[in-house]
Amino acid sequence: MDFSEFCRPFDPSVFPNLMPLRGTLGEKVTQVNDLAELLLGGFSLAVIGVPEDRNCAHNTGCAQAPDLVRRHLYSLFPDTTQPRIADLGNFIPGETPEQTYFGLQELLECLLKNQILPILIGGSNDLSFVQYKAYKSLEQMITFTSIDSGFDFGYLGAPFSSDSYTERIITDDPTHLYTYCNIGYQAYYTDPEIVAMMDKLHFDVHRLAEVRGNIDHVEPVLRNTDCLAIDISAVKASDAPGNRNASPNGLYAEEICKLMKYAGLSDKISSIGFYEYNPTVDTHEVTAKLLAQMIWCFVEAHAHRVGDYPIGDTSGYQRFIVETGETTDPFIFYKSPKSGRWWIEAPRTGVYAHQNHRQRLVPCNYEDYVSASNNKIPQTWWAYLMKTH
């Protein structure tokens, strides 16, 4: 595949006052023009700017984001074990947003099939739907997770936009969505009926107060995610003012960077998108700097993936069997000797009854083990039981 058909190379000379210093990411990232070069070069990550915001809701200007984020990203110093990163340039928008979606999906499908993880710098949040659709050709069910202050369901009969893309994902037919997750939604921006629907569908959604109270609690969500999309409005306005929909409340900069480290360490995440950054309202480019640091955290953690998602042989894992009076079968936990992360065997009922051992192992946390030890049903186990019935 010739990437020049889809993308225009990034021109670093547009920011002469921030040319890469020796040893920074800007010096190490390679601009790549075709698939053969990407594969032969041993690249595992590919940056793609997507200057598209024609279907954004109340945040026009975010199409200008990609190069400004690059400006600050490429001035950062990499970790010593940094993976090889390619920059494919900025996607060339079509005459209509729909043409952009079609071409971008084709490009993402190619990268995913060749196990190259795309890092998308948008652009508006409707591009999340394209990111999700790119998995369709892989013919596998996936978990889609958004870090967002709301669910982006829009209103009844609303045209497709960054405010309604989640509804399109959930109602996509035929679907390849195993489950939808949200991290950081704020109740005052969310219709209670939508929250009730999420609960009825047994989707894994986490209110901001829950995340702020114990951010480690959502690490298993990211560990089990395939496709991750981040709306920068999930971060509070004082830390990320570059969004017309920014809120006084939200995640702190340190918290979103910690979530990016969890995402980078996830063995499953195979694409990530950063959306809704609007340079036209960004005071002192604070948000661009934060996004650069978020991507840096993801990339740095990606370099330290330990590949300990239990597949096949689990003999090297610590195995804990907990008998309780709440269920007939015991709860079985596994703890990784490499990372200290936990998994629990899913219920041997419903769709899990015919799945292999690896498919039944569900990411959880230490608190689930403590619950079982205290004769309580672990929340993670219960959630998966409900999902399969």
Side-chain angles (χ1 to χ4, degrees):
M1 175 180 282
D2 184 355
F3 296 142
S4 64
E5 296 179 7
F6 299 90
C7 299
R8 184 178 296 109
F10 165 63
D11 181 8
S13 67
V14 298
F15 299 119
N17 60 325
L18 255 177
M19 293 298 285
L21 297 174
R22 179 174 297 176
T24 59
L25 273 175
E27 185 183 60
K28 296 180 181 297
V29 170
T30 305
Q31 297 204 41
V32 175
N33 298 315
D34 63 68
L35 180 62
E37 182 184 357
L38 192 66
L39 298 178
L40 290 172
F43 296 97
S44 57
L45 304 172
V47 174
I48 307 169
V50 191
E52 173 65 76
D53 68 359
R54 284 173 287 181
N55 275 336
C56 76
H58 321 299
N59 195 32
T60 300
C62 57
Q64 302 175 36
D67 284 353
L68 193 55
V69 173
R70 280 191 181 94
R71 169 183 178 177
H72 293 284
L73 175 63
Y74 292 166
S75 70
L76 302 179
F77 287 89
D79 183 81
T80 54
T81 56
Q82 203 81 25
R84 295 209 69 192
I85 305 174
D87 191 323
L88 306 190
N90 287 333
F91 193 85
I92 303 169
E95 293 184 6
T96 65
E98 290 70 26
Q99 290 180 351
T100 299
Y101 301 155
F102 181 83
L104 181 59
Q105 181 178 331
E106 183 179 349
L107 175 59
L108 294 179
E109 286 176 356
C110 172
L111 296 175
L112 291 171
K113 285 179 180 177
N114 287 281
Q115 298 183 324
I116 305 295
L117 192 156
I119 299 174
L120 298 168
I121 305 174
S124 47
N125 218 14
D126 47 299
L127 298 170
S128 300
F129 179 63
V130 184
Q131 187 183 344
Y132 158 80
K133 288 282 284 185
Y135 287 84
K136 203 151 196 172
S137 64
L138 301 181
E139 298 182 349
Q140 67 182 55
M141 302 296 284
I142 69 162
T143 295
F144 175 91
T145 297
S146 67
I147 300 177
D148 200 333
S149 59
F151 293 131
D152 294 319
F153 252 73
Y155 56 87
L156 187 63
F160 178 70
S161 73
S162 60
D163 259 1
S164 62
Y165 80 91
T166 306
E167 181 180 12
R168 187 73 66 89
I169 288 177
I170 292 174
T171 59
D172 189 36
D173 186 27
T175 187
H176 61 288
L177 180 70
Y178 173 66
T179 194
Y180 165 82
C181 307
N182 171 279
I183 296 173
Y185 81 90
Q186 299 178 34
Y188 30 75
Y189 292 139
T190 309
D191 186 340
E193 292 185 4
I194 298 296
V195 177
M197 183 196 71
M198 294 287 176
D199 184 61
K200 185 176 180 180
L201 293 171
H202 305 295
F203 288 155
D204 196 5
V205 298
H206 299 267
R207 188 174 169 178
L208 176 63
E210 175 191 347
V211 179
R212 295 289 315 282
N214 183 7
I215 199 166
D216 295 341
H217 179 72
V218 297
E219 182 275 330
V221 177
L222 294 170
R223 202 186 332 154
N224 206 35
T225 294
D226 299 282
C227 178
L228 177 62
I230 299 103
D231 184 332
I232 197 61
S233 69
V235 181
K236 63 186 306 176
S238 59
D239 286 5
N243 180 288
R244 294 186 188 277
N245 302 311
S247 166
N249 284 305
L251 295 164
Y252 283 101
E254 296 88 347
E255 292 170 331
I256 191 67
C257 285
K258 189 170 186 179
L259 291 176
M260 292 303 96
K261 288 200 170 187
Y262 286 151
L265 288 170
S266 168
D267 294 322
K268 285 190 68 180
I269 287 180
S270 52
S271 73
I272 186 168
F274 299 85
Y275 304 112
E276 295 293 328
Y277 165 52
N278 191 336
T280 67
V281 292
D282 189 18
T283 307
H284 306 304
E285 300 180 1
V286 168
T287 316
K289 295 173 184 175
L290 175 59
L291 277 161
Q293 293 169 17
M294 288 165 60
I295 297 171
W296 186 96
C297 288
F298 176 83
V299 171
E300 188 266 345
H302 182 276
H304 292 88
R305 285 183 174 185
V306 294
D308 65 348
Y309 206 108
I311 300 175
D313 183 17
T314 55
S315 59
Y317 290 70
Q318 290 180 278
R319 188 169 182 257
F320 300 84
I321 301 176
V322 183
E323 300 275 359
T324 75
E326 296 296 320
T327 60
T328 304
D329 296 323
F331 296 111
I332 302 176
F333 293 87
Y334 293 87
K335 182 180 179 182
S336 167
K338 295 181 179 179
S339 66
R341 297 185 294 191
W342 291 76
W343 284 262
I344 185 173
E345 273 197 16
R348 300 184 183 188
T349 57
V351 299
Y352 284 103
H354 305 290
Q355 289 182 325
N356 60 38
H357 187 240
R358 177 255 187 269
Q359 290 173 314
R360 290 205 311 270
L361 292 178
V362 180
C364 67
N365 50 42
Y366 176 67
E367 285 74 16
D368 287 302
Y369 171 71
V370 172
S371 292
S373 300
N374 290 328
N375 208 37
K376 298 178 182 178
I377 296 178
Q379 181 60 37
T380 300
W381 188 92
W382 182 256
Y384 274 78
L385 177 65
M386 293 296 99
K387 190 183 297 295
T388 59
H389 282 72

Short mmCIF file of all heavy atoms in Angstrom, two decimals, residues 223 310 314 316-324 327 329-336 341-346 348 357 360-382:
data_model
loop_
_atom_site.label_atom_id
_atom_site.label_comp_id
_atom_site.label_asym_id
_atom_site.label_seq_id
_atom_site.Cartn_x
_atom_site.Cartn_y
_atom_site.Cartn_z
N ARG A 223 -6.97 -3.18 30.23
CA ARG A 223 -6.26 -4.41 29.91
C ARG A 223 -7.08 -5.30 28.99
O ARG A 223 -6.54 -6.10 28.24
CB ARG A 223 -5.92 -5.16 31.20
CG ARG A 223 -4.78 -6.14 31.05
CD ARG A 223 -4.53 -7.00 32.27
NE ARG A 223 -4.91 -6.39 33.53
CZ ARG A 223 -5.24 -7.12 34.60
NH1 ARG A 223 -5.25 -8.43 34.55
NH2 ARG A 223 -5.57 -6.52 35.73
N PRO A 310 -2.75 -14.26 29.97
CA PRO A 310 -2.66 -15.73 30.02
C PRO A 310 -3.23 -16.39 28.76
O PRO A 310 -4.43 -16.34 28.51
CB PRO A 310 -3.51 -16.09 31.25
CG PRO A 310 -3.62 -14.84 32.04
CD PRO A 310 -3.60 -13.73 31.04
N THR A 314 -0.75 -21.76 31.73
CA THR A 314 -0.77 -20.84 32.87
C THR A 314 0.00 -21.44 34.05
O THR A 314 -0.17 -21.00 35.19
CB THR A 314 -2.22 -20.54 33.31
OG1 THR A 314 -2.91 -21.78 33.56
CG2 THR A 314 -2.96 -19.75 32.23
N GLY A 316 2.97 -21.12 34.94
CA GLY A 316 3.89 -20.20 35.61
C GLY A 316 3.19 -19.15 36.45
O GLY A 316 3.85 -18.34 37.11
N TYR A 317 1.86 -19.15 36.45
CA TYR A 317 1.10 -18.16 37.19
C TYR A 317 0.75 -18.70 38.59
O TYR A 317 0.57 -19.91 38.78
CB TYR A 317 -0.20 -17.82 36.46
CG TYR A 317 0.02 -17.04 35.18
CD1 TYR A 317 0.59 -17.64 34.07
CD2 TYR A 317 -0.33 -15.71 35.10
CE1 TYR A 317 0.81 -16.93 32.90
CE2 TYR A 317 -0.13 -14.98 33.93
CZ TYR A 317 0.45 -15.60 32.84
OH TYR A 317 0.67 -14.89 31.68
N GLN A 318 0.66 -17.78 39.54
CA GLN A 318 0.14 -18.18 40.85
C GLN A 318 -1.36 -18.42 40.72
O GLN A 318 -2.08 -17.59 40.15
CB GLN A 318 0.41 -17.09 41.88
CG GLN A 318 1.88 -16.94 42.27
CD GLN A 318 2.05 -15.83 43.30
OE1 GLN A 318 2.12 -14.65 42.96
NE2 GLN A 318 2.14 -16.21 44.56
N ARG A 319 -1.81 -19.55 41.23
CA ARG A 319 -3.22 -19.93 41.10
C ARG A 319 -3.84 -19.96 42.49
O ARG A 319 -3.32 -20.60 43.41
CB ARG A 319 -3.34 -21.30 40.43
CG ARG A 319 -4.74 -21.73 40.05
CD ARG A 319 -4.65 -22.96 39.14
NE ARG A 319 -5.95 -23.41 38.68
CZ ARG A 319 -6.58 -24.46 39.17
NH1 ARG A 319 -6.03 -25.18 40.15
NH2 ARG A 319 -7.76 -24.82 38.68
N PHE A 320 -4.97 -19.25 42.61
CA PHE A 320 -5.65 -19.17 43.90
C PHE A 320 -7.07 -19.70 43.73
O PHE A 320 -7.82 -19.24 42.86
CB PHE A 320 -5.71 -17.72 44.40
CG PHE A 320 -4.36 -17.09 44.59
CD1 PHE A 320 -3.68 -16.50 43.53
CD2 PHE A 320 -3.77 -17.06 45.84
CE1 PHE A 320 -2.44 -15.92 43.70
CE2 PHE A 320 -2.52 -16.47 46.03
CZ PHE A 320 -1.86 -15.90 44.96
N ILE A 321 -7.46 -20.66 44.55
CA ILE A 321 -8.80 -21.24 44.52
C ILE A 321 -9.52 -20.82 45.80
O ILE A 321 -9.03 -21.08 46.91
CB ILE A 321 -8.76 -22.77 44.41
CG1 ILE A 321 -8.01 -23.18 43.13
CG2 ILE A 321 -10.17 -23.35 44.42
CD1 ILE A 321 -7.82 -24.67 42.99
N VAL A 322 -10.64 -20.14 45.63
CA VAL A 322 -11.38 -19.61 46.78
C VAL A 322 -12.76 -20.24 46.82
O VAL A 322 -13.58 -20.03 45.92
CB VAL A 322 -11.50 -18.07 46.71
CG1 VAL A 322 -12.20 -17.54 47.96
CG2 VAL A 322 -10.12 -17.43 46.55
N GLU A 323 -13.02 -21.01 47.85
CA GLU A 323 -14.33 -21.61 48.07
C GLU A 323 -15.20 -20.62 48.84
O GLU A 323 -14.77 -20.03 49.83
CB GLU A 323 -14.19 -22.90 48.87
CG GLU A 323 -13.33 -23.96 48.21
CD GLU A 323 -14.10 -24.81 47.21
OE1 GLU A 323 -15.32 -24.57 47.05
OE2 GLU A 323 -13.48 -25.71 46.62
N THR A 324 -16.45 -20.46 48.39
CA THR A 324 -17.40 -19.62 49.11
C THR A 324 -18.74 -20.34 49.16
O THR A 324 -18.97 -21.30 48.45
CB THR A 324 -17.60 -18.24 48.44
OG1 THR A 324 -18.41 -18.40 47.26
CG2 THR A 324 -16.28 -17.60 48.07
N THR A 327 -21.55 -19.61 45.58
CA THR A 327 -21.66 -20.31 44.30
C THR A 327 -21.27 -21.77 44.50
O THR A 327 -20.57 -22.14 45.45
CB THR A 327 -20.72 -19.69 43.25
OG1 THR A 327 -19.36 -19.77 43.72
CG2 THR A 327 -21.08 -18.23 42.98
N ASP A 329 -19.42 -23.62 42.29
CA ASP A 329 -18.02 -23.79 41.93
C ASP A 329 -17.15 -22.76 42.65
O ASP A 329 -17.60 -21.65 42.95
CB ASP A 329 -17.85 -23.61 40.41
CG ASP A 329 -18.57 -24.68 39.62
OD1 ASP A 329 -18.58 -25.83 40.08
OD2 ASP A 329 -19.12 -24.34 38.55
N PRO A 330 -15.90 -23.08 42.90
CA PRO A 330 -15.01 -22.11 43.54
C PRO A 330 -14.60 -21.02 42.55
O PRO A 330 -14.69 -21.20 41.33
CB PRO A 330 -13.81 -22.96 43.95
CG PRO A 330 -13.78 -24.07 42.94
CD PRO A 330 -15.23 -24.37 42.65
N PHE A 331 -14.14 -19.91 43.08
CA PHE A 331 -13.56 -18.86 42.25
C PHE A 331 -12.09 -19.19 42.04
O PHE A 331 -11.38 -19.54 43.00
CB PHE A 331 -13.70 -17.49 42.90
CG PHE A 331 -15.12 -17.04 43.07
CD1 PHE A 331 -15.68 -16.95 44.34
CD2 PHE A 331 -15.90 -16.73 41.97
CE1 PHE A 331 -17.00 -16.54 44.50
CE2 PHE A 331 -17.21 -16.31 42.13
CZ PHE A 331 -17.77 -16.22 43.39
N ILE A 332 -11.63 -19.09 40.80
CA ILE A 332 -10.24 -19.40 40.49
C ILE A 332 -9.56 -18.15 39.95
O ILE A 332 -10.00 -17.57 38.96
CB ILE A 332 -10.14 -20.56 39.48
CG1 ILE A 332 -10.84 -21.80 40.05
CG2 ILE A 332 -8.68 -20.86 39.16
CD1 ILE A 332 -10.88 -22.96 39.08
N PHE A 333 -8.51 -17.73 40.61
CA PHE A 333 -7.76 -16.53 40.24
C PHE A 333 -6.36 -16.92 39.76
O PHE A 333 -5.79 -17.93 40.21
CB PHE A 333 -7.63 -15.58 41.43
CG PHE A 333 -8.91 -14.97 41.90
CD1 PHE A 333 -9.72 -15.63 42.81
CD2 PHE A 333 -9.30 -13.72 41.44
CE1 PHE A 333 -10.91 -15.06 43.26
CE2 PHE A 333 -10.49 -13.14 41.87
CZ PHE A 333 -11.29 -13.82 42.78
N TYR A 334 -5.81 -16.07 38.89
CA TYR A 334 -4.43 -16.22 38.45
C TYR A 334 -3.72 -14.88 38.63
O TYR A 334 -4.28 -13.83 38.33
CB TYR A 334 -4.36 -16.63 36.97
CG TYR A 334 -4.91 -18.01 36.71
CD1 TYR A 334 -6.26 -18.21 36.48
CD2 TYR A 334 -4.07 -19.12 36.70
CE1 TYR A 334 -6.77 -19.48 36.25
CE2 TYR A 334 -4.57 -20.40 36.46
CZ TYR A 334 -5.92 -20.57 36.24
OH TYR A 334 -6.42 -21.82 36.01
N LYS A 335 -2.48 -14.96 39.10
CA LYS A 335 -1.68 -13.75 39.29
C LYS A 335 -0.39 -13.89 38.49
O LYS A 335 0.31 -14.90 38.58
CB LYS A 335 -1.36 -13.54 40.76
CG LYS A 335 -0.57 -12.27 41.05
CD LYS A 335 -0.27 -12.12 42.54
CE LYS A 335 0.55 -10.87 42.82
NZ LYS A 335 0.88 -10.74 44.26
N SER A 336 -0.12 -12.86 37.67
CA SER A 336 1.07 -12.88 36.82
C SER A 336 2.34 -12.68 37.63
O SER A 336 2.43 -11.72 38.42
CB SER A 336 0.98 -11.80 35.74
OG SER A 336 2.23 -11.61 35.11
N ARG A 341 -0.38 -8.57 37.94
CA ARG A 341 -1.77 -8.36 37.57
C ARG A 341 -2.58 -9.64 37.76
O ARG A 341 -2.04 -10.75 37.71
CB ARG A 341 -1.87 -7.86 36.13
CG ARG A 341 -1.20 -6.49 35.95
CD ARG A 341 -1.38 -5.91 34.56
NE ARG A 341 -0.71 -6.68 33.53
CZ ARG A 341 -0.55 -6.25 32.27
NH1 ARG A 341 -1.03 -5.06 31.92
NH2 ARG A 341 0.07 -6.99 31.37
N TRP A 342 -3.90 -9.46 37.94
CA TRP A 342 -4.79 -10.57 38.29
C TRP A 342 -5.79 -10.87 37.16
O TRP A 342 -6.20 -9.97 36.43
CB TRP A 342 -5.57 -10.24 39.55
CG TRP A 342 -4.76 -10.19 40.80
CD1 TRP A 342 -3.91 -9.18 41.19
CD2 TRP A 342 -4.70 -11.17 41.84
NE1 TRP A 342 -3.34 -9.47 42.41
CE2 TRP A 342 -3.81 -10.69 42.83
CE3 TRP A 342 -5.35 -12.39 42.04
CZ2 TRP A 342 -3.54 -11.40 43.99
CZ3 TRP A 342 -5.08 -13.11 43.20
CH2 TRP A 342 -4.18 -12.62 44.16
N TRP A 343 -6.19 -12.14 37.09
CA TRP A 343 -7.29 -12.59 36.22
C TRP A 343 -8.18 -13.53 37.03
O TRP A 343 -7.71 -14.18 37.98
CB TRP A 343 -6.75 -13.36 35.00
CG TRP A 343 -6.17 -12.50 33.94
CD1 TRP A 343 -6.77 -12.06 32.79
CD2 TRP A 343 -4.83 -11.97 33.90
NE1 TRP A 343 -5.90 -11.30 32.05
CE2 TRP A 343 -4.70 -11.22 32.70
CE3 TRP A 343 -3.72 -12.05 34.75
CZ2 TRP A 343 -3.53 -10.57 32.34
CZ3 TRP A 343 -2.55 -11.41 34.40
CH2 TRP A 343 -2.47 -10.67 33.22
N ILE A 344 -9.44 -13.61 36.64
CA ILE A 344 -10.37 -14.55 37.26
C ILE A 344 -11.03 -15.39 36.17
O ILE A 344 -11.29 -14.89 35.07
CB ILE A 344 -11.46 -13.80 38.09
CG1 ILE A 344 -12.35 -14.79 38.83
CG2 ILE A 344 -12.28 -12.86 37.23
CD1 ILE A 344 -13.33 -14.12 39.80
N GLU A 345 -11.25 -16.65 36.45
CA GLU A 345 -11.97 -17.50 35.49
C GLU A 345 -13.42 -17.08 35.46
O GLU A 345 -14.07 -16.97 36.49
CB GLU A 345 -11.87 -18.98 35.89
CG GLU A 345 -10.64 -19.67 35.36
CD GLU A 345 -10.76 -21.18 35.41
OE1 GLU A 345 -11.88 -21.69 35.56
OE2 GLU A 345 -9.72 -21.85 35.31
N ALA A 346 -13.93 -16.83 34.26
CA ALA A 346 -15.32 -16.43 34.09
C ALA A 346 -16.23 -17.62 34.40
O ALA A 346 -15.79 -18.77 34.40
CB ALA A 346 -15.55 -15.94 32.67
N ARG A 348 -18.58 -20.72 34.17
CA ARG A 348 -18.62 -21.78 33.16
C ARG A 348 -20.04 -22.04 32.71
O ARG A 348 -20.53 -23.17 32.70
CB ARG A 348 -17.98 -23.04 33.73
CG ARG A 348 -16.54 -22.85 34.16
CD ARG A 348 -15.91 -24.13 34.61
NE ARG A 348 -14.54 -23.90 35.08
CZ ARG A 348 -13.70 -24.87 35.39
NH1 ARG A 348 -14.08 -26.13 35.30
NH2 ARG A 348 -12.49 -24.59 35.81
N HIS A 357 -9.88 -22.10 27.61
CA HIS A 357 -9.43 -21.58 28.89
C HIS A 357 -9.01 -20.12 28.80
O HIS A 357 -9.37 -19.31 29.66
CB HIS A 357 -8.26 -22.43 29.39
CG HIS A 357 -7.83 -22.09 30.79
ND1 HIS A 357 -6.57 -21.66 31.09
CD2 HIS A 357 -8.51 -22.09 31.96
CE1 HIS A 357 -6.48 -21.42 32.40
NE2 HIS A 357 -7.64 -21.68 32.94
N ARG A 360 -11.85 -17.65 28.80
CA ARG A 360 -12.60 -17.54 30.04
C ARG A 360 -11.84 -16.74 31.11
O ARG A 360 -12.37 -16.49 32.18
CB ARG A 360 -12.94 -18.92 30.60
CG ARG A 360 -13.97 -19.69 29.78
CD ARG A 360 -14.70 -20.72 30.64
NE ARG A 360 -13.76 -21.54 31.41
CZ ARG A 360 -13.24 -22.69 30.98
NH1 ARG A 360 -13.53 -23.11 29.76
NH2 ARG A 360 -12.43 -23.38 31.74
N LEU A 361 -10.60 -16.37 30.83
CA LEU A 361 -9.83 -15.61 31.81
C LEU A 361 -10.09 -14.12 31.64
O LEU A 361 -9.82 -13.55 30.58
CB LEU A 361 -8.33 -15.93 31.67
CG LEU A 361 -7.94 -17.36 32.05
CD1 LEU A 361 -6.46 -17.58 31.82
CD2 LEU A 361 -8.30 -17.66 33.50
N VAL A 362 -10.62 -13.51 32.66
CA VAL A 362 -11.08 -12.13 32.61
C VAL A 362 -10.19 -11.25 33.49
O VAL A 362 -9.96 -11.59 34.66
CB VAL A 362 -12.54 -12.03 33.09
CG1 VAL A 362 -13.02 -10.58 33.02
CG2 VAL A 362 -13.44 -12.94 32.27
N PRO A 363 -9.66 -10.15 32.97
CA PRO A 363 -8.85 -9.26 33.81
C PRO A 363 -9.64 -8.76 35.02
O PRO A 363 -10.82 -8.40 34.91
CB PRO A 363 -8.50 -8.10 32.87
CG PRO A 363 -8.58 -8.68 31.50
CD PRO A 363 -9.71 -9.68 31.58
N CYS A 364 -9.02 -8.78 36.17
CA CYS A 364 -9.66 -8.27 37.38
C CYS A 364 -8.58 -7.59 38.22
O CYS A 364 -7.46 -7.37 37.75
CB CYS A 364 -10.34 -9.40 38.15
SG CYS A 364 -9.21 -10.62 38.85
N ASN A 365 -8.91 -7.26 39.46
CA ASN A 365 -7.92 -6.65 40.32
C ASN A 365 -7.89 -7.35 41.67
O ASN A 365 -8.69 -8.26 41.93
CB ASN A 365 -8.17 -5.14 40.49
CG ASN A 365 -9.61 -4.84 40.87
OD1 ASN A 365 -10.19 -5.54 41.69
ND2 ASN A 365 -10.19 -3.81 40.26
N TYR A 366 -6.98 -6.95 42.49
CA TYR A 366 -6.79 -7.61 43.78
C TYR A 366 -8.05 -7.52 44.64
O TYR A 366 -8.36 -8.44 45.41
CB TYR A 366 -5.60 -6.96 44.49
CG TYR A 366 -5.36 -7.47 45.89
CD1 TYR A 366 -4.93 -8.79 46.11
CD2 TYR A 366 -5.55 -6.64 47.00
CE1 TYR A 366 -4.71 -9.26 47.40
CE2 TYR A 366 -5.33 -7.10 48.28
CZ TYR A 366 -4.91 -8.41 48.49
OH TYR A 366 -4.69 -8.87 49.76
N GLU A 367 -8.81 -6.44 44.48
CA GLU A 367 -10.03 -6.28 45.27
C GLU A 367 -11.02 -7.39 45.00
O GLU A 367 -11.79 -7.78 45.88
CB GLU A 367 -10.66 -4.91 44.99
CG GLU A 367 -9.95 -3.73 45.63
CD GLU A 367 -8.64 -3.38 44.95
OE1 GLU A 367 -8.42 -3.84 43.80
OE2 GLU A 367 -7.82 -2.65 45.55
N ASP A 368 -11.05 -7.91 43.76
CA ASP A 368 -11.95 -9.04 43.45
C ASP A 368 -11.55 -10.27 44.26
O ASP A 368 -12.40 -11.02 44.74
CB ASP A 368 -11.90 -9.34 41.95
CG ASP A 368 -12.61 -8.30 41.13
OD1 ASP A 368 -13.81 -8.07 41.36
OD2 ASP A 368 -11.99 -7.71 40.24
N TYR A 369 -10.26 -10.50 44.37
CA TYR A 369 -9.77 -11.63 45.16
C TYR A 369 -10.14 -11.46 46.63
O TYR A 369 -10.57 -12.41 47.30
CB TYR A 369 -8.26 -11.77 44.99
CG TYR A 369 -7.63 -12.78 45.93
CD1 TYR A 369 -7.84 -14.14 45.77
CD2 TYR A 369 -6.82 -12.34 46.99
CE1 TYR A 369 -7.27 -15.06 46.64
CE2 TYR A 369 -6.25 -13.25 47.86
CZ TYR A 369 -6.47 -14.61 47.69
OH TYR A 369 -5.92 -15.52 48.54
N VAL A 370 -9.99 -10.23 47.13
CA VAL A 370 -10.34 -9.95 48.52
C VAL A 370 -11.82 -10.19 48.75
O VAL A 370 -12.23 -10.78 49.78
CB VAL A 370 -9.95 -8.50 48.90
CG1 VAL A 370 -10.49 -8.14 50.29
CG2 VAL A 370 -8.44 -8.32 48.87
N SER A 371 -12.67 -9.77 47.80
CA SER A 371 -14.12 -9.99 47.93
C SER A 371 -14.44 -11.47 48.05
O SER A 371 -15.22 -11.90 48.90
CB SER A 371 -14.86 -9.39 46.73
OG SER A 371 -14.79 -7.99 46.74
N ALA A 372 -13.83 -12.27 47.15
CA ALA A 372 -14.06 -13.71 47.19
C ALA A 372 -13.59 -14.30 48.51
O ALA A 372 -14.25 -15.17 49.10
CB ALA A 372 -13.36 -14.38 46.01
N SER A 373 -12.45 -13.84 49.00
CA SER A 373 -11.90 -14.34 50.25
C SER A 373 -12.80 -14.00 51.44
O SER A 373 -12.79 -14.68 52.47
CB SER A 373 -10.50 -13.77 50.49
OG SER A 373 -9.63 -14.15 49.44
N ASN A 374 -13.59 -12.93 51.29
CA ASN A 374 -14.53 -12.52 52.33
C ASN A 374 -15.93 -13.06 52.09
O ASN A 374 -16.92 -12.54 52.60
CB ASN A 374 -14.58 -10.99 52.43
CG ASN A 374 -13.30 -10.41 53.00
OD1 ASN A 374 -12.64 -11.04 53.83
ND2 ASN A 374 -12.93 -9.22 52.56
N ASN A 375 -15.99 -14.12 51.25
CA ASN A 375 -17.25 -14.82 50.98
C ASN A 375 -18.27 -13.95 50.24
O ASN A 375 -19.48 -14.06 50.45
CB ASN A 375 -17.87 -15.34 52.29
CG ASN A 375 -18.72 -16.58 52.05
OD1 ASN A 375 -18.37 -17.43 51.22
ND2 ASN A 375 -19.83 -16.69 52.77
N LYS A 376 -17.75 -13.05 49.39
CA LYS A 376 -18.61 -12.21 48.56
C LYS A 376 -18.33 -12.51 47.09
O LYS A 376 -17.20 -12.87 46.72
CB LYS A 376 -18.35 -10.73 48.84
CG LYS A 376 -18.67 -10.29 50.26
CD LYS A 376 -18.34 -8.82 50.45
CE LYS A 376 -18.61 -8.37 51.87
NZ LYS A 376 -18.24 -6.94 52.09
N ILE A 377 -19.34 -12.36 46.25
CA ILE A 377 -19.15 -12.58 44.82
C ILE A 377 -18.35 -11.42 44.24
O ILE A 377 -18.74 -10.26 44.38
CB ILE A 377 -20.51 -12.69 44.10
CG1 ILE A 377 -21.27 -13.92 44.59
CG2 ILE A 377 -20.31 -12.76 42.59
CD1 ILE A 377 -22.64 -14.08 43.97
N PRO A 378 -17.23 -11.69 43.59
CA PRO A 378 -16.43 -10.60 42.99
C PRO A 378 -17.24 -9.86 41.93
O PRO A 378 -17.94 -10.48 41.12
CB PRO A 378 -15.24 -11.34 42.37
CG PRO A 378 -15.17 -12.65 43.09
CD PRO A 378 -16.59 -13.01 43.42
N GLN A 379 -17.12 -8.55 41.93
CA GLN A 379 -17.87 -7.72 40.99
C GLN A 379 -17.56 -8.08 39.55
O GLN A 379 -18.45 -8.13 38.71
CB GLN A 379 -17.58 -6.24 41.25
CG GLN A 379 -18.34 -5.28 40.34
CD GLN A 379 -19.84 -5.42 40.47
OE1 GLN A 379 -20.35 -5.65 41.56
NE2 GLN A 379 -20.56 -5.29 39.36
N THR A 380 -16.29 -8.33 39.23
CA THR A 380 -15.92 -8.66 37.85
C THR A 380 -16.57 -9.95 37.41
O THR A 380 -17.10 -10.05 36.31
CB THR A 380 -14.39 -8.78 37.74
OG1 THR A 380 -13.79 -7.54 38.10
CG2 THR A 380 -13.98 -9.15 36.31
N TRP A 381 -16.57 -10.97 38.25
CA TRP A 381 -17.20 -12.26 37.94
C TRP A 381 -18.69 -12.08 37.72
O TRP A 381 -19.27 -12.61 36.78
CB TRP A 381 -16.94 -13.23 39.10
CG TRP A 381 -17.36 -14.66 38.87
CD1 TRP A 381 -16.61 -15.67 38.37
CD2 TRP A 381 -18.65 -15.21 39.15
NE1 TRP A 381 -17.34 -16.83 38.33
CE2 TRP A 381 -18.62 -16.57 38.80
CE3 TRP A 381 -19.84 -14.69 39.67
CZ2 TRP A 381 -19.70 -17.43 38.95
CZ3 TRP A 381 -20.94 -15.54 39.81
CH2 TRP A 381 -20.87 -16.88 39.46
N TRP A 382 -19.32 -11.31 38.60
CA TRP A 382 -20.76 -11.09 38.51
C TRP A 382 -21.13 -10.35 37.22
O TRP A 382 -22.10 -10.69 36.55
CB TRP A 382 -21.24 -10.30 39.72
CG TRP A 382 -22.73 -10.06 39.73
CD1 TRP A 382 -23.39 -8.91 39.44
CD2 TRP A 382 -23.74 -11.03 40.03
NE1 TRP A 382 -24.74 -9.08 39.54
CE2 TRP A 382 -24.99 -10.38 39.90
CE3 TRP A 382 -23.71 -12.37 40.40
CZ2 TRP A 382 -26.20 -11.04 40.13
CZ3 TRP A 382 -24.92 -13.03 40.62
CH2 TRP A 382 -26.14 -12.36 40.49
#
